[in-house]
Amino acid sequence: MLSIKNLHARVEDKTILKGLNLDVKPGEVHAIMGPNGAGKSTLGYVLSGRDGYEVEQGSAELDGHSLFDMETEERARAGLFLAFQYPVEIPGVSNMEFLKASVDAVREARGDSALSSAEFLKLARVVCKQVNLPVEFLKRGVNEGFSGGEKKRNEIMQMILLAPRLCILDETDSGLDIDALKVVADGVNSQRSSDRGFVVVTHYQRLLDYIKPDFVHVLSDGKIVKSGGPELAKELEAQGYSWLADHPDEVPAE
Amino acid sequence: MSAWLDMALNGAPINDSLVSQRQQSLALLRAARWPNRKVEAWKYTPVRALEQIDYSAANQSTAARGVDAVEGLSAIELVLINGVPQAIAGELPAGLQVRALSEGEAIAGELFGSVKPSRHIFGLVNDVLAADGWVIDVAPGVQIETPLRIVYRTTEAAQAHGRVLVRLGDKSRLTVIEQAEGTEPSMSTYFSEFSVGVGAHLEHYRFALQTGAAMSVGGCHVLLAERSELHSTLVGFGSDLSRLDVDVIHGGEFASAKVNAIYLLDGRELFDLHSTIEHACANGTTEENVRGIAGGQSKAVFNGRIHIHRHAQKTLAELNNRNLLLTSGAEINTKPELEIYADDVRCAHGATVAETDKGALYYLQSRGISRSQAQIMLNFGFINELVDAMPNAALAQWLRPQLRARFAQMGDA
C-alpha cells in the first residue's frame, strides 16, 4: 500500500533523505529505528507534505496514488496519518471542533455521510475513554496545556477517529512514562488490522515491546541500511548505533 | 480645511434647545486642525475619502428596509435611519424612558457633551450636525432586563449624524447594543454618551460593521460613577474609512471597566480604534483586551491610552493588544500608552503583532482540513475568547456566522 522508491529530500539546503526505499503491505507493522539525525522525522514530514521539506527525486505512492502530487490535506484524506512527535498547541480552537472538522473532511472525501454533532460527540466520548483522556479534554484548546503524554494520547485518539490506511508514528514513545506508553500502544494495537499499515519510527526498542513489528529497518544518513525481523531491534538495543559509524563497510549496499 | 466639512456645515448650527452647546462646538471645530498625517490622533488614518462621495445623489427617503432581528434576542429596537428616529414598537418597561433627541427634553441638555471629550473632531461635527437621536433614561434602582438595540442605518450617498444620550440612574442596570452596517457609499457620525450612576451596571456592545464605501467616524463615551460597572464589547470591520473613539472615565472610586475589542479587516479596508481610559479616581479597575486580524492590503490602527491621574491610587489597569497579520501587504499600527501619575497602582500593557502559525496550519491540514478552512479555524481561535466572553449568548450566536463569513472572504492570500 505504501511504496517509497529512491526518495531524496532536503530541508532548506541540506539533503536529509538520500535514496530511501520502503514497501509496506496492508496489515504490516514496520519499525524504523536509527540514531538522531538519520532522517527519521524527516520521512514523516516529507510524506505528509510539510512546508520546507522538498523532494529532490524518487517517489512515494499510497495505494497507487502519488503522494507528492497531493496537498497535505489530500494526503490525509487519501488515508495517510502522521502521529506527531511534537503535537501543536492551538489555543482558541477546541479539540472538539478540530476533531469534528477533521473527521468531517476525511469522511466527505471517502463519500461517507457526515456525522451529526450528537453522533460525533458520542463517538468522541468512546474514543476518549479508550485512550484514557478525560472527556473534558474535548472542550479544551487543541493540545493546549496538555502534558506530553496527553498530547500523544490525543494523537492516538485522532488516529482512531480518522481510521487511516497508513499510520506513521513519529517517536510516539518519546517523553512517555511506562503507563502512558502502554495506553498509547494499546490504542495502536487496537487499530491493527489486515487492511491497515503502520510505520513506527522510534529511537528506542522499548516501544517495540508493546507494538510488535513485523519488520525492523535501520535508518542511517538518509537511507535504510539494514532490514530484518523483530530480533534486529533487540540487537540494536544491545549494540547501540555506534557500529554504523565504526563499520560503514558492513552496511549492505543499496 | 475640508470641502466636505464646509459642505456639511452649510446652514449649521441647528436652532434647537441645544443651540448654545452646538455653537460652542462649532467654534472649537473652526479652530481645530483638520485631520492629516501631522495630527497625532490621525497619523495613520487619512480622511480624504470623505471628499470623494457625491452626496447630492442621496436618496433621503427614510423608507429603507427594515432591521434584521437577532435570533433568540428579544430587544427593544431603536432605529435611526440617516439619523432620524423611527417609531418604537411595543411598550417600554417601567422605569425606562426613551425619547427622540429632537423632543428637547431637559435631560438631553444635561447629557449632551457631558461625557464626550471635546478633542474628538468628528465628535464636534456631530455636536453641530446631529439634529436627532435617542435620549434614554433609566430610573434609579431599575433593572432593565430587555436589551436596547440601537440600529444606525445610513442609506446610499447619505450623510448621517446621530446622537445617543444615556443615563443610568444609581443602582440601575441596562444593556445597550449599538449596531451599524452597510456597504454603500455614505458618511456617518454616530456618537453615544453614557452616564452610569453609582453602583449601576452597563452592558454595552458596539458593532461597527460597515464595509466597502460606507464611511463612519463615531464614538462611545462612558462616565462611570462610584462602584459602577461597564462591560463593553466592540467589534469593527474596516471600510474606506472606519474610526471609533472610545472613552471610559472613572469618575468615582471602585468603578470597574471591562472592554473587549475585535477588529477584522480585508481588502483595502481601514479600521482605527482609539481608546482612552481615564482613571480620575482611586480604586478603579480596567481590563482591556483588543485583538485584531488584518488581511489583504488592509490597515488597522489601534491606540490604547490609559491615563492614571495623580489621586487615582490603587488603580488596577491592564491593556493587551494582540494582532495577526495574514498577508505581507496588510498593516497594523498599534500603540499602547500608559501615563501614570499615581505611585500605588498596578498596571500592565502589551502589544504584539504576529503572523499565522505555519506549524498549526500544517497540523490541521495533516488531519484532512483544507488550508482555507484551517486558516478560518485559526483566525477564529485567535478571537474566540473574546466572543465567548460576550455576556449575551444570543448576540454571540448571531455574531459567529458573520465572523465566519468574513474570515472566509479574507482567505489567506
Side-chain angles (χ1 to χ4, degrees), chain A residues 19-22 32 43 216-220 222-227 251-252 254:
Chain A
L20 187 141
N21 294 288
L22 182 67
I32 294 184
L43 177 62
V216 175
H217 310 277
V218 181
L219 183 68
S220 174
K223 282 190 273 202
I224 285 173
V225 294
K226 196 166 185 181
S227 297
V251 171
E254 285 289 323

PDB file of all heavy atoms in Angstrom, chain A residues 19-22 32 43 216-220 222-227 251-252 254:
ATOM      1  N   GLY A  19      17.982   8.469  -0.809  1.00  0.00           N
ATOM      2  CA  GLY A  19      17.732   7.222  -1.521  1.00  0.00           C
ATOM      3  C   GLY A  19      17.068   6.178  -0.653  1.00  0.00           C
ATOM      4  O   GLY A  19      17.545   5.055  -0.506  1.00  0.00           O
ATOM      5  N   LEU A  20      15.939   6.571  -0.058  1.00  0.00           N
ATOM      6  CA  LEU A  20      15.236   5.670   0.860  1.00  0.00           C
ATOM      7  C   LEU A  20      14.225   4.820   0.103  1.00  0.00           C
ATOM      8  O   LEU A  20      13.483   5.324  -0.747  1.00  0.00           O
ATOM      9  CB  LEU A  20      14.540   6.509   1.939  1.00  0.00           C
ATOM     10  CG  LEU A  20      13.883   5.739   3.077  1.00  0.00           C
ATOM     11  CD1 LEU A  20      14.099   6.469   4.387  1.00  0.00           C
ATOM     12  CD2 LEU A  20      12.396   5.521   2.844  1.00  0.00           C
ATOM     13  N   ASN A  21      14.231   3.543   0.392  1.00  0.00           N
ATOM     14  CA  ASN A  21      13.255   2.618  -0.193  1.00  0.00           C
ATOM     15  C   ASN A  21      12.501   1.919   0.918  1.00  0.00           C
ATOM     16  O   ASN A  21      13.097   1.500   1.911  1.00  0.00           O
ATOM     17  CB  ASN A  21      13.968   1.549  -1.037  1.00  0.00           C
ATOM     18  CG  ASN A  21      14.642   2.161  -2.254  1.00  0.00           C
ATOM     19  OD1 ASN A  21      13.992   2.571  -3.202  1.00  0.00           O
ATOM     20  ND2 ASN A  21      15.969   2.245  -2.192  1.00  0.00           N
ATOM     21  N   LEU A  22      11.181   1.817   0.742  1.00  0.00           N
ATOM     22  CA  LEU A  22      10.383   1.127   1.755  1.00  0.00           C
ATOM     23  C   LEU A  22       9.069   0.678   1.130  1.00  0.00           C
ATOM     24  O   LEU A  22       8.430   1.430   0.409  1.00  0.00           O
ATOM     25  CB  LEU A  22      10.092   2.077   2.934  1.00  0.00           C
ATOM     26  CG  LEU A  22       9.309   1.483   4.105  1.00  0.00           C
ATOM     27  CD1 LEU A  22      10.130   0.423   4.846  1.00  0.00           C
ATOM     28  CD2 LEU A  22       8.883   2.581   5.083  1.00  0.00           C
ATOM     29  N   ILE A  32      10.990   1.745  12.090  1.00  0.00           N
ATOM     30  CA  ILE A  32      12.193   2.386  11.556  1.00  0.00           C
ATOM     31  C   ILE A  32      12.965   2.939  12.743  1.00  0.00           C
ATOM     32  O   ILE A  32      12.440   3.762  13.508  1.00  0.00           O
ATOM     33  CB  ILE A  32      11.853   3.493  10.551  1.00  0.00           C
ATOM     34  CG1 ILE A  32      11.192   2.861   9.323  1.00  0.00           C
ATOM     35  CG2 ILE A  32      13.117   4.255  10.155  1.00  0.00           C
ATOM     36  CD1 ILE A  32      10.895   3.819   8.201  1.00  0.00           C
ATOM     37  N   LEU A  43      11.241  11.820   7.289  1.00  0.00           N
ATOM     38  CA  LEU A  43      10.445  10.914   6.460  1.00  0.00           C
ATOM     39  C   LEU A  43       8.948  11.216   6.616  1.00  0.00           C
ATOM     40  O   LEU A  43       8.223  11.359   5.628  1.00  0.00           O
ATOM     41  CB  LEU A  43      10.751   9.453   6.839  1.00  0.00           C
ATOM     42  CG  LEU A  43       9.916   8.404   6.095  1.00  0.00           C
ATOM     43  CD1 LEU A  43      10.171   8.469   4.588  1.00  0.00           C
ATOM     44  CD2 LEU A  43      10.214   6.993   6.627  1.00  0.00           C
ATOM     45  N   VAL A 216      11.857  -4.676  10.953  1.00  0.00           N
ATOM     46  CA  VAL A 216      12.610  -3.589  11.563  1.00  0.00           C
ATOM     47  C   VAL A 216      13.646  -3.109  10.548  1.00  0.00           C
ATOM     48  O   VAL A 216      14.326  -3.928   9.913  1.00  0.00           O
ATOM     49  CB  VAL A 216      13.304  -4.045  12.866  1.00  0.00           C
ATOM     50  CG1 VAL A 216      14.199  -2.942  13.428  1.00  0.00           C
ATOM     51  CG2 VAL A 216      12.259  -4.463  13.903  1.00  0.00           C
ATOM     52  N   HIS A 217      13.721  -1.792  10.384  1.00  0.00           N
ATOM     53  CA  HIS A 217      14.698  -1.209   9.455  1.00  0.00           C
ATOM     54  C   HIS A 217      15.584  -0.239  10.220  1.00  0.00           C
ATOM     55  O   HIS A 217      15.123   0.443  11.126  1.00  0.00           O
ATOM     56  CB  HIS A 217      14.000  -0.438   8.331  1.00  0.00           C
ATOM     57  CG  HIS A 217      12.910  -1.205   7.655  1.00  0.00           C
ATOM     58  ND1 HIS A 217      13.159  -2.105   6.650  1.00  0.00           N
ATOM     59  CD2 HIS A 217      11.572  -1.216   7.863  1.00  0.00           C
ATOM     60  CE1 HIS A 217      12.004  -2.640   6.248  1.00  0.00           C
ATOM     61  NE2 HIS A 217      11.032  -2.105   6.975  1.00  0.00           N
ATOM     62  N   VAL A 218      16.824  -0.182   9.803  1.00  0.00           N
ATOM     63  CA  VAL A 218      17.735   0.791  10.399  1.00  0.00           C
ATOM     64  C   VAL A 218      17.964   1.903   9.395  1.00  0.00           C
ATOM     65  O   VAL A 218      18.375   1.659   8.259  1.00  0.00           O
ATOM     66  CB  VAL A 218      19.085   0.142  10.769  1.00  0.00           C
ATOM     67  CG1 VAL A 218      20.005   1.189  11.402  1.00  0.00           C
ATOM     68  CG2 VAL A 218      18.866  -1.025  11.718  1.00  0.00           C
ATOM     69  N   LEU A 219      17.647   3.124   9.850  1.00  0.00           N
ATOM     70  CA  LEU A 219      17.834   4.297   9.000  1.00  0.00           C
ATOM     71  C   LEU A 219      19.094   5.005   9.445  1.00  0.00           C
ATOM     72  O   LEU A 219      19.265   5.316  10.629  1.00  0.00           O
ATOM     73  CB  LEU A 219      16.622   5.227   9.123  1.00  0.00           C
ATOM     74  CG  LEU A 219      16.612   6.481   8.252  1.00  0.00           C
ATOM     75  CD1 LEU A 219      16.483   6.115   6.776  1.00  0.00           C
ATOM     76  CD2 LEU A 219      15.470   7.408   8.661  1.00  0.00           C
ATOM     77  N   SER A 220      19.980   5.233   8.492  1.00  0.00           N
ATOM     78  CA  SER A 220      21.208   5.943   8.821  1.00  0.00           C
ATOM     79  C   SER A 220      21.585   6.820   7.645  1.00  0.00           C
ATOM     80  O   SER A 220      21.579   6.368   6.495  1.00  0.00           O
ATOM     81  CB  SER A 220      22.319   4.931   9.115  1.00  0.00           C
ATOM     82  OG  SER A 220      23.542   5.619   9.292  1.00  0.00           O
ATOM     83  N   GLY A 222      20.063   8.959   6.002  1.00  0.00           N
ATOM     84  CA  GLY A 222      19.092   9.133   4.935  1.00  0.00           C
ATOM     85  C   GLY A 222      18.753   7.899   4.121  1.00  0.00           C
ATOM     86  O   GLY A 222      18.045   7.987   3.128  1.00  0.00           O
ATOM     87  N   LYS A 223      19.286   6.754   4.550  1.00  0.00           N
ATOM     88  CA  LYS A 223      18.977   5.523   3.826  1.00  0.00           C
ATOM     89  C   LYS A 223      18.672   4.404   4.803  1.00  0.00           C
ATOM     90  O   LYS A 223      19.156   4.423   5.940  1.00  0.00           O
ATOM     91  CB  LYS A 223      20.184   5.072   2.988  1.00  0.00           C
ATOM     92  CG  LYS A 223      20.357   5.840   1.710  1.00  0.00           C
ATOM     93  CD  LYS A 223      21.408   5.182   0.840  1.00  0.00           C
ATOM     94  CE  LYS A 223      22.788   5.691   1.194  1.00  0.00           C
ATOM     95  NZ  LYS A 223      23.765   5.519   0.114  1.00  0.00           N
ATOM     96  N   ILE A 224      17.922   3.412   4.321  1.00  0.00           N
ATOM     97  CA  ILE A 224      17.754   2.230   5.140  1.00  0.00           C
ATOM     98  C   ILE A 224      18.963   1.333   4.870  1.00  0.00           C
ATOM     99  O   ILE A 224      19.213   0.926   3.731  1.00  0.00           O
ATOM    100  CB  ILE A 224      16.426   1.528   4.829  1.00  0.00           C
ATOM    101  CG1 ILE A 224      15.304   2.376   5.470  1.00  0.00           C
ATOM    102  CG2 ILE A 224      16.407   0.101   5.388  1.00  0.00           C
ATOM    103  CD1 ILE A 224      13.930   1.959   5.150  1.00  0.00           C
ATOM    104  N   VAL A 225      19.727   1.089   5.935  1.00  0.00           N
ATOM    105  CA  VAL A 225      20.989   0.391   5.753  1.00  0.00           C
ATOM    106  C   VAL A 225      20.898  -1.074   6.194  1.00  0.00           C
ATOM    107  O   VAL A 225      21.779  -1.869   5.902  1.00  0.00           O
ATOM    108  CB  VAL A 225      22.140   1.083   6.499  1.00  0.00           C
ATOM    109  CG1 VAL A 225      22.402   2.456   5.889  1.00  0.00           C
ATOM    110  CG2 VAL A 225      21.834   1.213   7.989  1.00  0.00           C
ATOM    111  N   LYS A 226      19.851  -1.406   6.898  1.00  0.00           N
ATOM    112  CA  LYS A 226      19.722  -2.803   7.319  1.00  0.00           C
ATOM    113  C   LYS A 226      18.259  -3.077   7.594  1.00  0.00           C
ATOM    114  O   LYS A 226      17.555  -2.221   8.156  1.00  0.00           O
ATOM    115  CB  LYS A 226      20.550  -3.036   8.588  1.00  0.00           C
ATOM    116  CG  LYS A 226      20.793  -4.490   8.887  1.00  0.00           C
ATOM    117  CD  LYS A 226      21.887  -4.669   9.940  1.00  0.00           C
ATOM    118  CE  LYS A 226      22.170  -6.158  10.103  1.00  0.00           C
ATOM    119  NZ  LYS A 226      23.190  -6.400  11.130  1.00  0.00           N
ATOM    120  N   SER A 227      17.792  -4.228   7.208  1.00  0.00           N
ATOM    121  CA  SER A 227      16.409  -4.611   7.481  1.00  0.00           C
ATOM    122  C   SER A 227      16.390  -6.008   8.043  1.00  0.00           C
ATOM    123  O   SER A 227      17.257  -6.821   7.722  1.00  0.00           O
ATOM    124  CB  SER A 227      15.566  -4.581   6.193  1.00  0.00           C
ATOM    125  OG  SER A 227      15.505  -3.266   5.689  1.00  0.00           O
ATOM    126  N   VAL A 251      27.805  -2.168   6.218  1.00  0.00           N
ATOM    127  CA  VAL A 251      26.474  -1.787   5.754  1.00  0.00           C
ATOM    128  C   VAL A 251      26.259  -2.315   4.351  1.00  0.00           C
ATOM    129  O   VAL A 251      27.072  -2.067   3.465  1.00  0.00           O
ATOM    130  CB  VAL A 251      26.352  -0.253   5.767  1.00  0.00           C
ATOM    131  CG1 VAL A 251      25.078   0.192   5.082  1.00  0.00           C
ATOM    132  CG2 VAL A 251      26.426   0.250   7.194  1.00  0.00           C
ATOM    133  N   PRO A 252      25.227  -3.076   4.162  1.00  0.00           N
ATOM    134  CA  PRO A 252      24.989  -3.601   2.819  1.00  0.00           C
ATOM    135  C   PRO A 252      24.661  -2.482   1.838  1.00  0.00           C
ATOM    136  O   PRO A 252      23.974  -1.547   2.200  1.00  0.00           O
ATOM    137  CB  PRO A 252      23.783  -4.530   2.996  1.00  0.00           C
ATOM    138  CG  PRO A 252      23.145  -4.124   4.279  1.00  0.00           C
ATOM    139  CD  PRO A 252      24.200  -3.481   5.121  1.00  0.00           C
ATOM    140  N   GLU A 254      23.016  -0.423  -1.188  1.00  0.00           N
ATOM    141  CA  GLU A 254      21.633  -0.334  -1.670  1.00  0.00           C
ATOM    142  C   GLU A 254      21.512  -1.007  -3.036  1.00  0.00           C
ATOM    143  O   GLU A 254      22.323  -0.757  -3.911  1.00  0.00           O
ATOM    144  CB  GLU A 254      21.230   1.130  -1.802  1.00  0.00           C
ATOM    145  CG  GLU A 254      20.942   1.803  -0.473  1.00  0.00           C
ATOM    146  CD  GLU A 254      19.655   1.330   0.161  1.00  0.00           C
ATOM    147  OE1 GLU A 254      18.670   1.072  -0.554  1.00  0.00           O
ATOM    148  OE2 GLU A 254      19.642   1.188   1.396  1.00  0.00           O
TER     149      GLU A 254
END
